[in-house]
Amino acid sequence: DITKNIIMAMQVKLTEGEQARAAAKGTDNLDAYLKYLQANEYLHRGNMESNALARQLANEAIALDPEYAMPYGVLARLHIADFWLDTSKSQEQSLAEATELLQKAIALDDTYAEAYGILGHVFSLRRQPDKALAQAEKAVALNPNSAELHYRLAKVLVFNGKNEEAIPEYKIAIRLNPIPPSKYFWSLGLAYAETGQYDEAITWCEKAVRQAPDNLWPRIMMTTVYSWSGRDEEARAEAAEVLRINPKFSLERFAKRADPELVSALRKAGLK
């Protein structure tokens, strides 16, 4: 108990406080808690190798304590990553499994606000915008001080074509988290780009790339924003970085789930 309390206090100080407290809730098994923290960290790195480690650690946490809700949320997010990276047999199966895991997590802990936020993302991917917005707003209502939940609400707004409304939500997320992950930066950058504010878009996407140079997503979005803004040489350089991180990247497969204008920008930069 003492060790767990010390670790939790360090997490609260170093990361998003409310999220860290929530992560510690729901298990008395120190090893399960530590494996969840490790899984979450690997998941944030955003490449296929780190995702595999995150999946292994989340499953180990569940084996240690099947009633601990948080690792189910990690597994759900990994299924969403599979959807985007085309690393599962079926896109629909990935989303169905993510939904099932989130419902399991909520059944174990109906105050697990992040699970509602992730579920909102899944409903967006399944083209159910009203359900998506309801879940994302419920998540923020449960934990209004959570950076991650404001980020997820912003994502849902973007999927609903409300980029102008998403921008302040992303900014709240960045303000609330003293060490924001790169996804906050490139997501804000993409929202600015979608509204034609390319200078702002480039600033935020470049910040994401500097923070996580080996993460696939900042590179994809940096390529897109450079391409949209007419900086073709920089776009081609970023496209080469996409292939460095994932030599098997296929624009054809990515196009099955991405916005056509984004796909067009990546193709213009030389990705196939």
Side-chain angles (χ1 to χ4, degrees):
D1 287 344
I2 293 170
T3 303
K4 180 184 171 186
N5 287 337
I6 291 170
I7 293 169
M8 185 180 74
M10 292 174 64
Q11 286 283 313
V12 169
K13 183 175 181 180
L14 294 174
T15 62
E16 185 186 347
E18 292 300 320
Q19 186 175 326
R21 290 188 183 92
K25 188 181 73 170
T27 186
D28 293 322
N29 189 309
L30 178 60
D31 288 337
Y33 174 55
L34 290 175
K35 286 183 182 294
Y36 161 74
L37 292 179
Q38 290 176 297
N40 203 45
E41 172 60 26
Y42 278 118
L43 178 59
H44 279 149
R45 297 185 186 182
N47 59 64
M48 294 176 68
E49 293 78 11
S50 64
N51 283 356
L53 287 169
R55 181 172 278 109
Q56 176 185 330
L57 287 160
N59 280 316
E60 289 175 1
I62 290 169
L64 288 166
D65 186 352
E67 302 301 306
Y68 185 27
M70 304 298 165
Y72 294 97
V74 171
L75 290 178
R77 288 156 64 197
L78 286 164
H79 281 296
I80 296 171
D82 287 337
F83 170 88
W84 285 110
L85 296 173
D86 197 25
T87 49
S88 64
K89 293 180 181 179
S90 163
Q91 295 176 28
E92 184 53 39
Q93 180 183 346
S94 293
L95 296 181
E97 290 182 7
T99 302
E100 184 177 338
L101 286 161
L102 292 166
Q103 290 171 340
K104 170 71 172 177
I106 291 168
L108 289 170
D109 180 2
D110 62 5
T111 67
Y112 182 11
E114 188 178 354
Y116 295 101
I118 303 168
L119 193 55
H121 188 184
V122 174
F123 280 133
S124 288
L125 295 174
R126 301 182 91 164
R127 303 293 190 266
Q128 296 176 289
D130 292 341
K131 286 185 177 181
L133 189 58
Q135 294 295 322
E137 289 178 339
K138 181 173 184 176
V140 171
L142 279 169
N143 189 356
N145 293 319
S146 169
E148 186 69 12
L149 298 182
H150 283 280
Y151 161 79
R152 293 199 174 279
L153 175 56
K155 280 287 184 188
V156 168
L157 290 168
V158 166
F159 274 105
N160 285 1
K162 299 178 179 180
N163 287 285
E164 290 283 3
E165 293 179 35
I167 287 171
E169 290 295 331
Y170 284 134
K171 288 186 173 181
I172 291 171
I174 291 168
R175 176 174 57 80
L176 286 172
N177 190 332
I179 311 175
S182 63
K183 65 182 182 180
Y184 290 13
F185 298 142
W186 65 253
S187 295
L188 176 56
L190 192 63
Y192 271 122
E194 291 279 9
T195 60
Q197 301 177 70
Y198 294 119
D199 289 343
E200 287 283 355
I202 289 168
T203 295
W204 288 103
C205 286
E206 286 179 341
K207 186 176 290 191
V209 167
R210 286 195 301 272
Q211 179 171 313
D214 295 322
N215 187 320
L216 185 66
W217 295 105
R219 296 294 187 177
I220 288 174
M221 300 310 166
M222 190 78 262
T223 304
T224 300
V225 170
Y226 276 147
S227 183
W228 280 347
S229 62
R231 293 171 60 167
D232 294 340
E233 185 175 346
E234 290 101 321
R236 286 191 291 270
E238 286 300 319
E241 291 296 316
V242 170
L243 295 176
R244 175 185 66 80
I245 296 167
N246 182 7
K248 295 182 179 180
F249 178 84
S250 166
L251 186 59
E252 181 181 353
R253 292 199 299 270
F254 186 74
K256 295 176 183 178
R257 56 195 61 75
D259 180 84
E261 292 184 4
L262 191 151
V263 172
S264 178
L266 295 174
R267 183 174 290 112
K268 180 185 174 187
L271 291 170
K272 299 177 181 179

